[in-house]
Amino acid sequence: MDSRPNIAIAIDGPAGSGKSTVAKRVAEELGFLYIDTGAMYRAITLKALRAGVDLDDMDALGEVAATASVELVAGPDRSLKVLLDQEDVTEEIRSPYISRSVSLAAKVPEVRKRLVELQQAMAKQGGVVMEGRDIGTVVLPDAQIKIYLIASPGERSRRRLKELSAKGYQIDRRQMEAEILERDQLDTTRKMGPLTPAPDALTIDCTYLSIEKVVELIIDRVSAGG
Ligand code: DC
């Protein structure tokens, strides 16, 4: 029997704000399921690019999403594996070419509709930490805990560069900062599910806070009951 309590923690925020690291740690500490919704948008983008779909063609993107199987499964070491049509694409979806295109796929209403349904179904299992852009506002508006993480653009690009250089990608710092600002612009201005804090979210500025401190703040809030 599943012993996870029926609590949902929604963590939203822009690229590089520290969401993934924080969400993973919070899930680990509480024994909750960690769900990375950005990975799902990335998987759809990968499928579209592989099929040669024009990312301005909204109908074609909607069709890709409707026919794709996207699953998030916990690996043996508790890491999250992303399966696209049963293929493990965990590494490939993190490449810069996907990061540059994903905001285009994420603005398509049919893509969002399909992924939001999948995410809501996953959250029904209870005891989840779900991270993304529209979790507290659209996917789980009744989540007991809602967190909105922010950090300065300089700090966010520094973190992304560090992650990417660990994987062997060399990207110019200024180019990275420009890309992050462009994604912020696309993510905050789209019509459906834009990046914005839920009115009842706690906003935490992570520019100068350690990951441990942010995790502690969130766990304290869970212990206090929301
Ligand atoms: O968190 P990430 O960088 O892996 O997200 C990839 C993209 O997916 C990001 O540009 C915005 C989009 N996204 C979204 O629109 N809604 C979500 N819930 C999660 C991600």
Side-chain angles (χ1 to χ4, degrees):
M1 210 184 81
D2 208 327
S3 58
R4 286 196 305 264
N6 196 16
I7 294 176
I9 303 177
I11 303 186
D12 290 301
S17 57
K19 287 186 312 285
S20 301
T21 316
V22 166
K24 259 184 238 162
R25 296 263 182 99
V26 170
E28 243 169 64
E29 291 224 4
L30 297 172
F32 281 17
L33 192 67
Y34 163 62
I35 302 175
D36 171 5
T37 61
M40 302 171 80
Y41 288 92
R42 288 172 178 270
I44 297 296
T45 307
L46 174 62
K47 181 164 173 142
L49 289 173
R50 280 180 176 174
V53 165
D54 177 353
L55 295 182
D56 289 323
D57 185 342
M58 295 220 186
D59 290 341
L61 282 167
E63 188 59 29
V64 168
T67 54
S69 150
V70 181
E71 291 168 276
L72 302 179
V73 293
D77 55 353
R78 307 193 66 180
S79 64
L80 198 72
K81 282 205 178 313
V82 185
L83 302 183
L84 169 65
D85 298 330
Q86 284 77 51
E87 176 193 347
D88 184 349
V89 294
T90 314
E91 287 302 317
E92 196 174 350
I93 58 166
R94 300 284 154 207
S95 61
Y97 90 101
I98 297 291
S99 302
R100 281 181 201 123
S101 311
V102 62
S103 291
L104 293 174
K107 75 175 190 196
V108 177
E110 286 307 313
V111 172
R112 302 203 71 82
K113 222 174 110 214
R114 161 114 167 107
L115 293 187
V116 167
E117 274 167 18
L118 290 177
Q119 290 152 13
Q120 288 172 335
M122 284 193 258
K124 289 225 166 81
Q125 302 168 64
V128 295
V129 181
M130 191 179 280
E131 61 132 317
R133 305 291 190 288
D134 58 343
I135 310 306
T137 50
V138 176
V139 182
L140 304 175
D142 297 328
Q144 290 85 345
I145 313 279
K146 295 183 186 177
I147 307 291
Y148 193 75
L149 293 187
I150 54 170
S152 70
E155 177 61 15
R156 292 193 284 130
S157 54
R158 196 188 63 76
R159 289 179 193 165
R160 273 287 145 104
L161 282 176
K162 203 169 145 204
E163 271 167 35
L164 287 171
S165 79
K167 291 182 181 170
Y169 295 107
Q170 292 307 328
I171 296 178
D172 175 70
R173 193 191 163 104
R174 255 190 247 150
Q175 184 193 342
M176 186 78 236
E177 205 165 319
E179 280 179 24
I180 279 203
L181 291 175
E182 192 190 333
R183 274 174 69 195
D184 284 0
Q185 166 73 10
L186 288 165
D187 288 343
T188 51
T189 57
R190 68 169 167 252
K191 288 204 179 71
M192 196 172 171
L195 169 65
T196 183
D200 50 347
L202 169 71
T203 296
I204 304 176
D205 186 339
C206 307
T207 311
Y208 304 110
L209 286 181
S210 68
I211 294 291
E212 288 70 29
K213 186 68 201 165
V214 179
V215 171
E216 194 186 310
L217 283 171
I218 298 174
I219 303 274
D220 283 352
R221 206 163 167 99
V222 176
S223 309

